[in-house]
Amino acid sequence: MHSQKILVLGATGNIGSATVKTLASRKANVTAGVRDPSKAKELQNSGAQVIKADMSQNQAELAKIISNYNAVYLVTPGHIDRTQITINAIQAARQANIQYVLLVSIPCADNQNILFGRQFTPIEKELKASGLKYGILRLPMFTDNAWGNNEPIRTHNTFYGPINGDKKFVTVAVQDAALAAAIILENPSKHNGKTYTITSDYKSSDEQAQIFSQALGRQIKYVNATFEGSKQSLLKMMPEWQVDGLLELYSLVEKSDVSQVNQTSDYKQITGNSPTTTLSWMWQNHKSF
Ligand SMILES: NC(=O)c1ccc[n+]([C@@H]2O[C@H](COP(=O)([O-])OP(=O)(O)OC[C@H]3O[C@@H](n4cnc5c(N)ncnc54)[C@H](OP(=O)(O)O)[C@@H]3O)[C@@H](O)[C@H]2O)c1
């Protein structure tokens, strides 16, 4: 049993929901703060409490909610206004004088040359200057983004991307990000003032194709599409600002920028476990591919 009362804001997304479910399965006292509780049945069924809370709501009201907890996890939303939204939540956490804040960020948070960097720099800065005890979880591209390639892999054993097949980059499995966050939130005193980068694997797209072939028992091929072609297909999945931001990340991969190639041992250090390889991720999900 853990005595910590933990609040997760941004709890219906990939990272938030996986973290809430991981905490609930570990019998932690976890509450999911969601904008629309009627859409959070799955979180309720996991054993978590669900309340209505919005990172962009009135600061004093949000502070009142946050003051009922010992630790809050701010899962920065994939929203064009995420700088203001997340800073609002940090300021509410400060008003509430909460014991610990864990924040989702990205490995290129210091890079002013790209949109995502410009969005995350002021968020990290606000948290560090808040006087609160905090931790930052920097997450690279998700292994789980393979779901975005599910249809072409299922229908014609091929997936596409804007980079050369031999360019390696780090990824994080959402389940690894969730376990690391859960362990930090259950016992935050060990993780004060820490910035972690959680990486699960480091593979090129060609290597991913080989791994997918192995897990699925049939030949899967990676095709390097043009940036414009990639943009058009990504626009079917996400808004333009996010597509442009993602393509900037791929440009960093092309240049082997340290933010995209630096494998860390932070996951092992926090959890004691080995991270989820791309191969084991695909084993877990092979029936859907
Ligand atoms: N995909 C990747 O490869 C990748 C890699 C690294 C980092 N990231 C970033 O990591 C963060 C978490 O990823 P994710 O996939 O879990 O994010 P997501 O799917 O965008 O979910 C974030 C959650 O934010 C919440 N939210 C709260 N206030 C909001 C508001 N005013 N407007 C919009 N959403 C609001 C929503 O939860 P409620 O409905 O419960 O309120 C939403 O489910 C995002 O910033 C993402 O861009 C993504």
Side-chain angles (χ1 to χ4, degrees):
M1 246 343 246
H2 307 280
S3 53
Q4 283 285 109
K5 284 183 78 184
I6 300 164
L7 175 66
V8 178
L9 292 177
T12 60
N14 297 301
I15 294 295
S17 67
T19 307
V20 168
K21 287 178 201 165
T22 301
L23 281 163
S25 73
R26 292 165 62 87
K27 308 284 175 231
N29 184 343
V30 57
T31 299
V34 304
R35 286 170 300 164
D36 182 355
S38 72
K39 290 187 188 148
K41 292 277 176 287
E42 214 184 295
L43 294 179
Q44 233 146 20
N45 294 339
S46 75
Q49 291 151 75
V50 175
I51 60 163
K52 187 171 159 53
D54 183 339
M55 286 171 71
S56 56
Q57 82 183 75
N58 173 285
Q59 215 175 87
E61 284 170 19
L62 184 57
K64 215 169 146 196
I65 296 172
I66 293 175
S67 65
N68 294 314
Y69 300 89
N70 307 112
V72 65
Y73 188 20
L74 301 181
V75 182
T76 308
H79 189 286
I80 192 167
D81 295 327
R82 61 179 157 196
T83 309
Q84 295 89 308
I85 292 170
T86 311
I87 286 178
N88 182 61
I90 293 168
Q91 290 174 349
R94 187 172 174 214
Q95 257 189 58
N97 200 19
I98 190 153
Q99 288 165 24
Y100 190 79
V101 179
L102 183 64
L103 172 77
V104 169
S105 185
I106 52 172
C108 48
D110 303 317
N111 187 341
Q112 299 306 303
N113 297 322
I114 59 165
L115 172 68
F116 292 171
R118 291 190 296 276
Q119 288 180 325
F120 275 93
T121 301
I123 299 174
E124 286 200 356
K125 221 169 143 189
E126 184 77 22
L127 182 60
K128 289 174 183 170
S130 68
L132 293 168
K133 291 187 173 150
Y134 71 88
I136 296 174
L137 270 195
R138 288 180 162 188
L139 304 178
M141 287 194 256
F142 301 160
T143 310
D144 308 57
N145 290 351
W147 286 116
N149 295 319
N150 178 270
E151 201 258 351
I153 290 177
R154 265 192 302 106
T155 58
H156 54 285
N157 299 324
T158 307
F159 64 103
Y160 304 86
I163 48 173
N164 254 309
D166 61 357
K167 290 289 174 190
K168 287 172 78 125
F169 55 101
V170 288
T171 54
V172 63
V174 167
Q175 66 197 52
D176 290 356
L179 182 61
I183 288 174
I184 293 170
L185 290 161
E186 284 168 3
N187 197 357
S189 60
K190 289 189 196 163
H191 306 281
N192 182 25
K194 297 275 172 66
T195 298
Y196 297 113
T197 302
I198 309 296
T199 62
S200 302
D201 209 344
Y202 177 53
K203 292 282 182 297
S204 67
S205 304
D206 285 343
E207 286 170 333
Q208 288 178 343
Q210 278 171 21
I211 288 166
F212 295 169
S213 304
Q214 191 185 341
L216 301 177
R218 60 184 204 274
Q219 198 61 41
I220 307 296
K221 198 171 70 174
Y222 171 74
V223 172
N224 182 359
T226 61
F227 255 64
E228 193 45 43
S230 300
K231 178 163 178 168
Q232 290 313 318
S233 54
L234 287 166
L235 279 171
K236 292 176 195 146
M237 294 183 254
M238 56 188 94
E240 189 167 14
W241 71 269
Q242 211 164 15
V243 171
D244 289 341
L246 183 54
L247 289 172
E248 285 182 330
L249 293 189
Y250 280 119
S251 298
L252 294 182
V253 172
E254 282 278 6
K255 289 186 250 174
S256 298
D257 185 84
V258 63
S259 66
Q260 307 303 316
V261 300
N262 191 26
Q263 257 188 311
T264 75
S265 55
D266 291 354
Y267 179 76
K268 177 100 191 187
Q269 193 198 319
I270 295 164
T271 67
N273 296 349
S274 296
T276 305
T277 61
T278 306
L279 181 60
S280 57
W281 187 93
M282 197 42 113
W283 274 122
Q284 285 173 32
N285 296 295
H286 74 276
K287 286 194 181 123
S288 305
F289 284 82

